[in-house]
Amino acid sequence: LISRHLDALTHCRWVSVSIDAGTEEGYERRKGFDGFAAVRDNIRTLRSLSPGLEITYKFLVTPDNYSEIQVAARWARDLKCSNFHARPVCKPAVNIQAGDTEPIFTPEQVVEAAANLKQAAHLFGSQVPVHATTSKFSAAWDREHRFKRCHAVAMTAVLSPTRLELCCDRRGDPKTTLVSWGGDASWHRVREAITSSWDSDRHWDLMQRIRLADCPRCTYAIHNELYEAFVLRDDACKNFI
């Protein structure tokens, strides 16, 4: 896809490439086709065309690819990526709502994967920043919500070609879809749909009905934690005087 949109991508500030592998075999196993070499070539081309562009090598950690974390971070360095981002995979909302509670990782896998992330940062962190997003998970790399309710859906949204949704972690879920405009994606129709539905009674009703038990790990966890800490509980004593 990078090669098809090179001109547009050079006008971006940040481009994230979801690779999730560090070897040809790992890429084919994860993506279903042999394309790792082509992706690397595309990143090199993109970097040569846009030296100042922030390019992130993304790595979704799974039980069958965490052994490739270090070699993937080395590729991120060699390809002159700006960052290497890794996070554990999580169950989608549809699985959770169907009652799937089985852990994805064994305790031994969590320890080994975390050690690989730490070693990758040690080996390559001075040349390419290695970021491991594990703070939104429990110690077992399972979902964990350290807040009581979802407040983020009043602050964020996900825009697709056919609808406006309130949560990126529950894309496609009717319970978090605010409005749909079907096949009419004209600017006038989309603008009217968004402006008439945002901050509407339906918007607030959807927010009130969200159950954390139906949610996977939360991308917007920090939004919710800060809102409850500093607005609801006033932990910072902003109203002291």
Side-chain angles (χ1 to χ4, degrees), residues 42-238:
N42 286 335
I43 292 175
R44 290 189 187 98
T45 301
L46 184 59
R47 172 56 74 216
S48 67
L49 292 173
S50 187
L53 176 65
E54 184 176 344
I55 302 175
T56 295
Y57 189 121
K58 297 197 76 173
F59 192 104
L60 188 66
V61 182
T62 67
D64 66 350
N65 75 356
Y66 65 81
S67 62
E68 298 186 10
I69 290 173
Q70 292 180 44
V71 67
R74 186 176 67 209
W75 272 120
R77 179 201 64 186
D78 294 347
L79 293 169
K80 296 182 172 59
C81 291
S82 311
N83 303 281
F84 177 82
H85 282 190
R87 74 161 176 86
V89 68
C90 61
K91 284 187 172 70
V94 64
N95 291 47
I96 292 169
Q97 293 172 19
D100 183 358
T101 59
E102 287 297 313
I104 296 176
F105 297 90
T106 66
E108 294 77 17
Q109 289 171 336
V110 171
V111 171
E112 292 175 17
N116 284 347
L117 287 168
K118 184 176 181 179
Q119 185 66 4
H122 172 72
L123 292 174
F124 309 111
S126 62
Q127 299 148 314
V128 56
V130 175
H131 303 287
T133 304
T134 59
S135 60
K136 298 175 183 178
F137 297 83
S138 69
W141 283 10
D142 200 355
R143 63 179 180 143
E144 182 176 64
H145 300 131
R146 293 182 286 272
F147 48 89
K148 295 180 179 179
R149 289 188 53 194
C150 179
H151 311 278
V153 292
M155 318 174 206
T156 64
V158 180
L159 186 65
S160 78
T162 60
R163 59 188 177 270
L164 182 70
E165 302 183 68
L166 299 178
C167 177
C168 67
D169 296 318
R170 292 178 60 172
R171 283 187 293 262
D173 188 339
K175 297 176 184 176
T176 55
T177 298
L178 180 58
V179 64
S180 175
W181 42 86
D184 183 5
S186 64
W187 169 243
H188 175 76
R189 172 66 182 118
V190 172
R191 182 177 62 178
E192 189 278 331
I194 294 175
T195 55
S196 62
S197 59
W198 192 263
D199 198 27
S200 64
D201 290 342
R202 172 174 169 74
H203 187 178
W204 290 102
D205 183 59
L206 284 177
M207 187 172 74
Q208 295 295 326
R209 291 174 181 269
I210 290 175
R211 298 171 61 250
L212 296 184
D214 292 336
C215 297
R217 66 99 199 186
C218 184
T219 296
Y220 304 129
I222 192 65
H223 295 63
N224 293 313
E225 292 170 16
L226 289 176
Y227 183 83
E228 291 189 358
F230 296 106
V231 177
L232 298 186
R233 296 197 305 269
D234 191 21
D235 289 352
C237 294
K238 64 182 174 59

